[in-house]
């Protein structure tokens, strides 16, 4: 894993997020995004959410990696079976968060989360980065059947870049 590249990607998305929110007008943020049911503001919150869930995903990967393989495979099957409720909560959470959280709070939360991910990545060793677990592939197009901790550090940037193209701010 190229740690510098991951740090650079986290910083790029942090700066882009800030620039998008700082430069968008209220009318642009209220506009429907491209290819989603969210407004641009709600989609931006969803992009932030991709970074926020990283703390839970990293902790979960550490726990499940220490358990027998069949536990992780079973867990991924259960989560795949719960895709519809997950989609509902994911949509509603992004809708609500993007509707009520002030811009400045979104930017500050992204900044704190990015700083936390930088610190965590700096503490990882090669062994911890190689640990992983099965993931529910139906939850997100960037989830694979098995993901390492190193893969998880790349996930929120992939998620961010994908959704960045759906914004209709221009």
């Amino acid at each position: 894993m190229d740690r510098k590249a991951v740090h650079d990607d986290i910083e790029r998305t942090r700066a882009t997020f800030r620039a998008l929110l700082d430069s968008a007008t209220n009318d642009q943020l209220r506009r429907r995004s491209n290819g989603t049911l969210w407004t641009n503001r709600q989609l931006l919150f969803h992009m932030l959410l991709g970074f926020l869930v990283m703390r839970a995903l990293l902790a979960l990967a550490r726990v499940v990696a220490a358990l027998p393989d069949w536990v992780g495979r079973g867990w991924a099957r259960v989560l795949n079976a719960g895709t519809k409720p997950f989609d509902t909560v994911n949509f509603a959470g992004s809708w609500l968060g993007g509707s009520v959280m002030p811009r400045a709070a979104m930017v500050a939360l992204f900044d704190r989360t990015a700083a936390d991910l930088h610190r965590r990545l700096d503490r990882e060793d090669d062994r911890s980065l190689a640990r992983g677990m099965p993931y529910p592939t139906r939850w997100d197009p960037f989830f694979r059947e098995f993901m390492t901790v190193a893969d998880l550090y790349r996930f929120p940037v992939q998620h961010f870049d994908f959704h960045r193209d759906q914004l209709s701010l221009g």
Side-chain angles (χ1 to χ4, degrees):
M1 172 182 191
D2 183 348
R3 291 172 195 251
K4 182 180 179 336
V6 174
H7 281 299
D8 290 349
D9 281 343
I10 291 170
E11 274 309 294
R12 174 184 54 80
T13 54
R14 188 195 63 73
T16 299
F17 187 80
R18 175 180 286 275
L20 289 167
L21 276 171
D22 285 350
S23 66
T25 66
N26 287 331
D27 286 341
Q28 288 173 317
L29 290 174
R30 284 191 293 269
R31 189 180 306 148
R32 177 81 55 214
S33 62
N34 295 316
T36 80
L37 297 176
W38 290 310
T39 64
N40 286 316
R41 184 185 179 106
Q42 293 161 347
L43 181 56
L44 282 160
F45 183 85
H46 178 75
M47 293 159 66
L48 165 61
L49 196 58
F51 281 83
L52 294 175
V53 301
M54 279 304 300
R55 288 180 271 204
L57 291 176
L58 289 168
L60 183 63
R62 289 180 205 321
V63 170
V64 174
L67 299 173
D69 290 343
W70 63 268
V71 173
R73 288 191 307 272
W75 179 246
R77 281 194 301 274
V78 167
L79 293 178
N80 267 329
T83 298
K84 284 191 186 248
F86 167 79
D87 288 345
T88 301
V89 169
N90 185 33
F91 175 80
S94 295
W95 183 90
L96 181 62
S99 297
V100 301
M101 185 176 272
R103 285 191 215 207
M106 289 171 63
V107 169
L109 185 54
F110 200 110
D111 287 347
R112 282 194 311 272
T113 304
D116 180 58
L117 289 175
H118 284 304
R119 284 189 301 273
R120 287 174 185 241
L121 179 56
D122 287 340
R123 289 191 308 258
E124 301 280 3
D125 60 25
D126 289 342
R127 198 171 111 233
S128 68
L129 288 169
R131 289 188 182 115
M133 65 176 272
Y135 271 81
T137 56
R138 293 175 53 196
W139 280 32
D140 191 278
F142 299 107
F143 282 172
R144 294 190 318 268
E145 285 187 25
F146 186 89
M147 294 180 69
T148 65
V149 169
D151 295 329
L152 291 176
Y153 278 103
R154 293 181 192 101
F155 164 75
V157 171
Q158 293 171 316
H159 179 261
F160 183 97
D161 290 341
F162 173 80
H163 288 301
R164 167 67 182 96
D165 292 339
Q166 293 178 314
L167 293 169
S168 61
L169 295 171

